[in-house]
Amino acid sequence: MKTWILTGTLGVCALLANAQSLPDSQTVVIPGGRLQMIELPAHKHFMSPETFSQFRGAYELSNG
């Protein structure tokens, strides 16, 4: 019984690993000639804690 469960589990893992690889026709190549950089502003903008409290929790990050 344990052998059947182990065999089934290994089979499912093998199918999932095979599903992760994409053929070359479905891949995307991103040219890496220029590095992406964040440009800083010329001068800093400071905000008091009272002003910042209006915005706290109002925005959600797009990447979690």
Side-chain angles (χ1 to χ4, degrees), residues 6-56:
L6 181 61
T7 304
T9 304
L10 290 175
V12 168
C13 290
L15 289 174
L16 291 175
N18 189 24
Q20 290 180 355
S21 61
L22 293 174
D24 290 336
S25 63
Q26 294 181 354
T27 58
V28 176
V29 178
I30 300 173
R34 193 180 111 199
L35 294 176
Q36 300 294 326
M37 299 183 70
I38 297 174
E39 296 181 13
L40 298 176
H43 58 281
K44 296 180 181 180
H45 299 279
F46 293 100
M47 193 179 287
S48 69
E50 293 82 19
T51 307
F52 178 71
S53 66
Q54 299 173 7
F55 301 103
R56 182 179 294 165

